[in-house]
Amino acid sequence: MPETITAGLDLPRIAAITLDLDDTLWPVWPTIERAEGVLHQWLQQNAPRTAELVASPAELRALRIATEKERSDLAHDLAALRRESIRLALRRSGEDPALAEPAFDVFYAERQRVELYEDAAPALDWLAARYPLVAVSNGNADLALTGVDRWFRGGLSAYRFGAAKPHAAIFHAAAASVDVLPEQVLHVGDDAALDVTGALNAGMQAAWLVRDERPWAEGARPQLIVPDLRALCVALGASADLR
């Protein structure tokens, strides 16, 4: 597991923390794969020709990539892209495109059933007791439906805000939502480009949460690199025996 690396973290300056969600608080791909499985079961019962067309996750994702190319206006809205890719599959199969709405609802409900990393809940307890926390996500996880809303003052999602990370606007809006300046915020996330570079360019400090052995391959380095959320808390002053 990577070690904690602190490079110029200015602790006294931190008045709020923003956090990514997917692959920061929970692993996202097991959730997506399970949700796609539930969606496929629903299609088998309600749109069997479409279910045959997207018999494998790879075929479903290929349709999603095709939708992304056709609907670049929805690049910031993963929920809309998912819905439109289902609609495209229904059209190609000659079935009712209106079924895209209930089909997506089935997928979306399952997508919210996340399993937190073991370190997430105790770390969020510690962080929320000391800082206002704001979620900043390009995904379509819902704070209330995933059950993590109790730790957050609020959240900004790209599909509701209208712009996605790494655009500075979404980071600035997150800071403003808790009445602090961007330079008073530490942003925490797993994506080097979207989270770290985006936050640094927005004037924030950044912590890169990297649970594997990926090397840093971007430009300006984060002020903090941590292997998990427990290590983040320790770097911010928690005792080493945080549970």
Side-chain angles (χ1 to χ4, degrees):
M1 180 175 288
E3 63 179 338
T4 298
I5 299 174
T6 302
L9 183 67
D10 188 348
L11 279 172
R13 206 172 89 198
I14 301 171
I17 293 176
T18 55
L19 290 117
D20 175 53
L21 297 176
D22 292 330
D23 286 332
T24 295
L25 301 188
W26 54 74
V28 69
W29 283 111
T31 304
I32 296 297
E33 289 169 358
R34 189 181 63 247
E36 288 177 341
V38 170
L39 168 62
H40 193 261
Q41 291 173 7
W42 188 93
L43 290 171
Q44 286 177 318
Q45 296 173 1
N46 297 277
R49 292 197 301 276
T50 302
E52 186 175 352
L53 176 67
V54 292
S56 74
E59 290 163 330
L60 186 61
R61 288 170 196 167
L63 279 173
R64 189 162 168 268
I65 291 170
T67 304
E68 289 175 3
K69 292 178 179 178
E70 293 177 7
R71 297 297 306 274
S72 59
D73 58 309
L74 298 177
H76 64 283
D77 190 340
L78 298 183
L81 284 171
R82 175 73 64 172
R83 187 183 299 107
E84 292 308 308
S85 68
I86 297 169
R87 200 183 313 278
L88 176 60
L90 288 160
R91 286 198 181 103
R92 288 188 178 181
S93 302
E95 294 180 311
D96 185 1
L99 290 173
E101 301 300 330
F104 174 77
D105 290 345
V106 167
F107 170 86
Y108 186 74
E110 190 67 22
R111 189 261 186 271
Q112 308 307 316
R113 292 183 57 239
V114 299
E115 295 184 12
L116 296 176
Y117 288 115
E118 184 179 0
D119 53 282
L124 288 167
D125 282 340
W126 190 88
L127 293 168
R130 291 159 178 81
Y131 302 96
L133 305 183
V134 181
V136 182
S137 176
N138 284 2
N140 57 3
D142 181 279
L143 292 179
L145 294 176
T146 56
V148 300
D149 55 323
R150 65 187 183 274
W151 288 298
F152 289 89
R153 298 282 183 90
L156 281 87
S157 57
Y159 75 98
R160 289 197 180 105
F161 182 70
K165 296 178 295 186
H167 292 293
I170 194 168
F171 291 103
H172 290 167
S177 72
V178 286
D179 299 317
V180 300
L181 297 173
E183 56 263 35
Q184 295 175 289
V185 176
L186 173 68
H187 178 71
V188 182
D190 71 290
D191 192 291
L194 300 182
D195 288 304
V196 176
T197 300
L200 293 174
N201 288 341
M204 296 178 171
Q205 296 190 84
W208 187 32
L209 192 156
V210 53
R211 296 176 183 272
D212 50 31
E213 294 292 341
R214 284 173 291 154
W216 179 255
E218 295 294 314
R221 296 180 65 85
Q223 285 83 7
L224 183 63
I225 299 176
V226 291
D228 54 33
L229 290 166
R230 175 186 172 278
L232 170 70
C233 296
V234 171
L236 294 177
S239 62
D241 63 349
L242 177 70
R243 297 289 185 264

